[in-house]
Amino acid sequence: MKLSLAVLSFAAAATAFTAVGPSRSTGLSTRVAFNNVFTPAPVARASTQLEAAKQVPHGGSLVDLILKTDEEKEAAIAKCSKEMQLTPRQLCDVELIMNGGFSPLTGFMDEATYKSVVDNVSLPDGLIFGLPVVFDTDDEDLSPGDIVLLKDGDRPIATVEFTDKYTPNKAYECKKCYGTSEIEHPGALMVATERGKYYLGGKVTGLNLPTRDFPCKTPAEVRETLPDDVDVVAFQCRNPV
């Protein structure tokens, strides 16, 4: 639970910052190649402290996919033909998609987006994005076009309209994303042993945030607490979630 809190808090806070370039380096600084020499990448500074504290969210705008009225939520649920229980990891991913922690994503990555992130550390439009966000399953019957109600116990969390279904090359994914396909690496172990056979992409519609045993602010709520006159630094614990 503490690890889940760490990633949710970090993802919310991270929307206040702008990345300097695509890199999966395990070092402490981002590096760029210039004339075959690797040098630390300069960090772009805002012209004022106010701009630094209130930078534009990643991708340009903060995503909020959560429906606001009971009528809207009931209509969204009525469109569903199936329902599924979310795993703890899927629950965190859905929460971060619908509350804007994964801005600018509005759903789980389709195959083209997944491949772009794995190969290029970026979305198809070139915007940096470090790791794929996918909905995994072993269910042979789930298909593109299905609209599914996603639940945590009895609580409806979101709906997802699946757009495609594909079989990933997990060894290749791990090698590109984590630098190794050996299961001694926790990320590779997760992909190999926790994720299902298939990945699905699809648009998420938020219904309710999960009920947790600890306070968990949304990115919008975190941004409201940021000071107007100082820079802000976010800290990520190792191996969140």
Side-chain angles (χ1 to χ4, degrees):
M1 297 294 284
K2 291 182 179 179
L3 292 177
S4 297
L5 174 59
V7 70
L8 292 169
S9 298
F10 167 73
T15 57
F17 299 88
T18 300
V20 297
S23 172
R24 285 200 180 97
S25 169
T26 56
L28 296 178
S29 64
T30 301
R31 292 175 175 268
V32 295
F34 182 75
N35 293 334
N36 297 321
V37 177
F38 284 90
T39 57
V43 178
R45 294 191 60 83
S47 58
T48 69
Q49 288 182 315
L50 175 59
E51 290 173 351
K54 301 291 187 180
Q55 283 188 16
V56 174
H58 191 57
S61 61
L62 188 63
V63 170
D64 180 2
L65 304 177
I66 303 174
L67 300 178
K68 308 307 179 190
T69 69
D70 291 339
E71 291 76 12
E72 290 175 315
K73 294 177 182 180
E74 290 169 2
I77 292 173
K79 294 179 182 178
C80 298
S81 58
K82 300 178 180 179
E83 66 176 55
M84 297 182 64
Q85 287 290 325
L86 293 165
T87 67
R89 183 177 294 275
Q90 289 171 340
L91 180 63
C92 289
D93 285 344
V94 170
E95 181 176 2
L96 291 170
I97 290 172
M98 66 185 191
N99 74 10
F102 283 157
S103 291
L105 297 189
T106 57
F108 289 99
M109 294 179 179
D110 59 21
E111 187 172 15
T113 305
Y114 162 79
K115 288 183 175 180
S116 178
V117 170
V118 170
D119 287 331
N120 305 313
V121 204
S122 66
L123 301 177
D125 64 2
L127 183 71
I128 183 173
F129 210 95
L131 292 172
V133 180
V134 295
F135 189 93
D136 65 289
T137 186
D138 288 319
D139 192 332
E140 300 284 348
D141 295 329
L142 275 182
S143 303
D146 286 342
I147 303 177
V148 180
L149 177 62
L150 305 176
K151 301 180 73 176
D152 179 33
D154 294 329
R155 186 173 178 81
I157 300 298
T159 69
V160 58
E161 182 173 1
F162 290 123
T163 57
D164 67 342
K165 184 177 185 178
Y166 50 102
T167 303
N169 183 335
K170 292 186 177 182
Y172 180 80
E173 174 188 338
C174 292
K175 184 69 174 178
K176 295 290 287 185
C177 292
Y178 303 115
T180 179
S181 58
E182 300 295 328
I183 60 173
E184 285 77 13
H185 188 286
L189 179 65
M190 178 274 295
V191 172
T193 64
E194 294 183 27
R195 281 189 178 161
K197 177 180 179 181
Y198 304 107
Y199 292 172
L200 295 100
K203 175 71 170 65
V204 169
T205 299
L207 301 174
N208 299 290
L209 292 172
T211 300
R212 300 194 180 279
D213 297 329
F214 48 83
C216 209
K217 292 183 178 180
T218 67
E221 291 170 339
V222 170
R223 290 175 69 85
E224 286 298 316
T225 68
L226 296 180
D228 291 335
D229 56 351
V230 295
D231 293 339
V232 178
V233 175
F235 172 76
Q236 177 184 358
C237 293
R238 183 176 181 272
N239 298 338
V241 184

